[in-house]
Amino acid sequence: MNRKKYYIETYGCQMNVYDSELVENQLIKTGYKQTNSIESADLIFLNTCAIREKAEETVHNRLTSLAYLKKRNPNLIIGVLGCMAQNLKDDLLKDKPYVDVILGPDSYRRIPEIITNRNKELNNIVDTKLSKYEIYNDLFPSRKEGVNAWISIMRGCDKFCTFCIVPFTRGRERSRSIESVIEEVKHAVEDGFVEITLLGQNVNSYRTSDGSFSCLLEKVAQVEGVKRIRYTSPHPQDFDENLLEVMSRYDNICNYIHLPLQSGSNSILKKMNRTYSKEEFIDLVAKIRDYIPGCSISTDVIVGFPGETDADFQDTLDMMKKIKFNFAYMFKYSSRPGTKAAEYDNQLPEDIKQNRLEQLIELQSSITLENNIEKINSVQYILIEKESKKSNNYWSGRTDGNTWTIVKKNKENVKEVIPVKIIDAKGVTLFGEALTKKELLYETN
Ligand code: 5AD
Ligand code: SF4
């Protein structure tokens, strides 16, 4: 039988990457096979992101550019999944009537039934109901070969930061059972994955009757064959010492924490409903560095939140200088209709936001480089992930602290963790030389 072909494009965060893998599994179960050629697909799904206006624009443009395929093949199924589906279903139906299927993040279980029906009748199918319970405990993802497996452990967010659309698009927090996460970790290891990244909008809000996030993390660390574990993102408010204690006890849990700051000004943090002050954040970072010396910390920062004054922005710059994050993801505030902050007075003009973003990026680039230069002459353990894009004589891999490192090839293989002496740092990247056992002994004595 000639199997129908699907093509999926994924936008936005790692949760979406994971969800696309779940969706692929559903499609394969329905009798479809994957194609990398959009032109030859019988079904095209875009798994979308609504976090900032730009992400939405990208998807709108992409959909517009797909209209010709639908004209050419009226039987083609085009679907919009994920956060934009949830958020913009009415606009999509009005402007892009050729979109056949609109599914929110809690509706993927229905894919086989929806596609089968869609082949019989021609109405649009929309399901964006959010569920208090859907956690896809029993639907495993279809993963391609690789080094790192993303595993979602909880869904949704109850924090309601005033700038953020996620609590509306992804609904309430729910946690997967420890048992089901561990089963998936074991599957991933059997399939050859050596690094596990646990995912959730708020991983440390993870709660089950069998234990909290630190308990889950410890159990994952004990699964044989897991060389490295990372997780993203925790919320500073829910960070407890148990978690740091578990991290400090297991070598395979990376010494790396992504800790979103968002702003360095107390008045803005309050308006953002972040529920911590800059002083509390500083204390938390000190505690992290106390438990895990040399722990790498990255962050997210938003500039140009409504009402952010020059002094507020200066507070953010000062915090960045004080904390010296290893790296940072920096964004201009983007107003999201439906969120509280979108209703605030004093929305800032684009040029101020742009100017602040540029200042922040310049500062953080120098801090990142400074942190990386400090690593020169140290020994870092690199998990080899792939050939370097620049040259096939070099490997590309990450340090325990999540910094990309380029290493000259010897006789190593992908998925090996090797000791590397760092010899140079440029921008966000480190450069190093693999050490033999003898050299390692010499370097570490
Ligand atoms: N505008 C800009 N950045 C945002 N983020 C979330 N919502 C917005 C918004 N409306 C950023 C936050 C969050 C990251 C995933 O995206 O910094 O931590
Ligand atoms: Fe959005 Fe805040 Fe929830 Fe993160 S914690 S997903 S920024 S509402």
Side-chain angles (χ1 to χ4, degrees):
M1 195 190 75
N2 215 350
R3 281 162 74 193
K4 291 196 167 170
K5 288 178 254 166
Y6 72 83
Y7 178 94
I8 293 197
E9 249 170 41
T10 305
Y11 297 83
C13 66
Q14 299 311 332
M15 284 294 279
N16 266 8
V17 174
Y18 180 84
D19 282 358
S20 288
E21 290 172 350
L22 280 182
V23 167
E24 286 192 55
N25 204 6
Q26 294 286 85
L27 292 169
I28 292 166
K29 269 199 257 168
T30 320
Y32 280 73
K33 68 173 181 190
Q34 197 228 348
T35 174
N36 290 324
S37 141
I38 198 164
E39 303 267 333
S40 73
D42 302 287
L43 177 150
I44 299 170
F45 275 171
L46 305 188
N47 193 2
T48 63
C49 169
I51 198 110
R52 283 171 289 273
E53 197 178 351
K54 214 156 152 207
E56 285 185 357
E57 268 168 30
T58 311
V59 170
H60 277 301
N61 292 340
R62 185 63 172 146
L63 280 172
T64 308
S65 81
L66 296 181
Y68 83 100
L69 287 172
K70 184 78 177 184
K71 267 198 208 112
R72 208 166 70 184
N73 171 14
N75 291 326
L76 171 69
I77 299 179
I78 297 187
V80 174
L81 314 181
C83 290
M84 260 175 93
Q86 192 64 48
N87 201 28
L88 290 176
K89 56 177 181 275
D90 299 331
D91 292 359
L92 282 170
L93 285 173
K94 201 164 93 227
D95 296 348
K96 317 252 177 356
Y98 51 88
V99 172
D100 306 272
V101 178
I102 300 184
L103 294 180
D106 287 344
S107 307
Y108 302 150
R109 193 178 283 280
R110 291 193 55 212
I111 283 175
E113 161 219 343
I114 284 173
I115 294 173
T116 314
N117 286 342
R118 170 70 207 181
N119 286 333
K120 287 189 230 140
E121 46 151 318
L122 284 174
N123 292 324
N124 298 84
I125 297 165
V126 180
D127 185 347
T128 58
K129 274 194 296 294
L130 286 172
S131 157
K132 275 198 204 135
Y133 310 104
E134 182 58 274
I135 196 72
Y136 301 123
N137 239 339
D138 54 325
L139 297 190
F140 292 108
S142 151
R143 281 197 191 95
K144 312 273 165 339
E145 264 182 35
V147 176
N148 175 66
W150 307 100
I151 299 189
S152 156
I153 60 162
M154 54 88 65
R155 300 178 73 85
C157 178
D158 291 349
K159 287 284 190 284
F160 287 91
C161 301
T162 58
F163 52 80
C164 186
I165 196 75
V166 168
F168 303 95
T169 59
R170 287 193 166 262
R172 301 289 58 76
E173 281 175 3
R174 338 131 242 159
S175 299
R176 240 173 113 171
S177 70
I178 293 189
E179 195 191 348
S180 133
V181 174
I182 296 297
E183 196 185 333
E184 195 174 329
V185 172
K186 287 182 178 160
H187 276 167
V189 173
E190 276 163 25
D191 289 343
F193 291 86
V194 291
E195 181 177 273
I196 302 288
T197 305
L198 304 177
L199 293 176
Q201 251 76 42
N202 257 313
V203 279
N204 51 351
S205 297
Y206 178 90
R207 280 210 186 2
T208 67
S209 51
D210 294 326
S212 63
F213 180 61
S214 47
C215 172
L216 173 75
L217 191 64
E218 176 152 24
K219 294 215 159 113
V220 174
Q222 289 166 348
V223 173
E224 221 178 299
V226 178
K227 289 190 183 171
R228 279 187 171 178
I229 305 156
R230 302 182 190 276
Y231 60 85
T232 193
S233 291
H235 190 292
Q237 183 201 316
D238 300 324
F239 220 102
D240 61 28
E241 290 195 25
N242 273 344
L243 178 52
L244 293 173
E245 197 267 322
V246 169
M247 287 180 75
S248 65
R249 260 192 301 122
Y250 287 87
D251 279 348
N252 60 351
I253 305 177
C254 290
N255 292 337
Y256 166 63
I257 298 173
H258 181 67
L259 197 67
L261 167 66
Q262 311 298 4
S263 167
S265 147
N266 279 338
S267 94
I268 296 294
L269 285 171
K270 202 155 192 190
K271 287 184 195 149
M272 287 177 160
N273 189 31
R274 285 297 287 178
T275 65
Y276 52 82
S277 63
K278 71 173 175 193
E279 291 77 13
E280 284 165 332
F281 194 94
I282 291 169
D283 286 350
L284 176 57
V285 169
K287 211 178 269 172
I288 292 172
R289 291 181 170 155
D290 210 26
Y291 268 93
I292 310 169
C295 186
S296 173
I297 307 177
S298 61
T299 199
D300 290 341
V301 181
I302 297 176
V303 298
F305 185 82
E308 184 188 69
T309 61
D310 282 336
D312 291 322
F313 177 59
Q314 190 56 50
D315 283 349
T316 297
L317 295 177
D318 291 345
M319 268 298 261
M320 304 302 275
K321 285 184 208 153
K322 187 171 176 71
I323 295 191
K324 296 192 190 301
F325 293 104
N326 292 74
F327 51 97
Y329 301 94
M330 295 159 278
F331 311 101
K332 282 185 274 187
Y333 169 73
S334 168
S335 168
R336 306 287 57 218
T339 60
K340 210 163 168 188
E343 309 296 319
Y344 286 172
D345 294 336
N346 302 323
Q347 302 279 331
L348 297 186
E350 182 59 25
D351 57 338
I352 293 191
K353 292 195 236 180
Q354 184 62 33
N355 180 281
R356 288 183 183 167
L357 181 65
E358 283 167 18
Q359 286 185 58
L360 183 66
I361 290 176
E362 197 184 322
L363 170 65
Q364 182 57 41
S365 302
S366 66
I367 295 172
T368 299
L369 184 59
E370 197 185 304
N371 276 326
N372 284 350
I373 286 173
E374 269 176 25
K375 301 266 170 352
I376 294 179
N377 286 328
S378 72
V379 176
Q380 301 289 324
Y381 285 83
I382 309 294
L383 170 57
I384 301 176
E385 295 194 30
K386 54 193 175 195
E387 242 171 34
S388 159
K389 269 189 217 133
K390 296 227 172 82
S391 155
N392 56 11
N393 292 325
Y394 289 84
W395 292 119
S396 189
R398 279 177 290 165
T399 62
D400 191 78
N402 212 19
T403 299
W404 281 100
T405 306
I406 307 294
V407 187
K408 195 161 169 52
K409 271 190 189 171
N410 234 322
K411 290 198 179 74
E412 311 82 2
N413 291 308
V414 166
K415 298 186 193 174
E416 259 179 60
V417 177
I418 56 163
V420 168
K421 183 168 177 180
I422 302 303
I423 52 169
D424 200 4
K426 286 199 185 91
V428 292
T429 313
L430 293 173
F431 297 81
E433 280 167 359
L435 294 174
T436 59
K437 273 198 187 121
K438 215 162 132 196
E439 286 167 337
L440 177 64
L441 262 175
Y442 177 75
E443 290 292 339
T444 45
N445 274 329

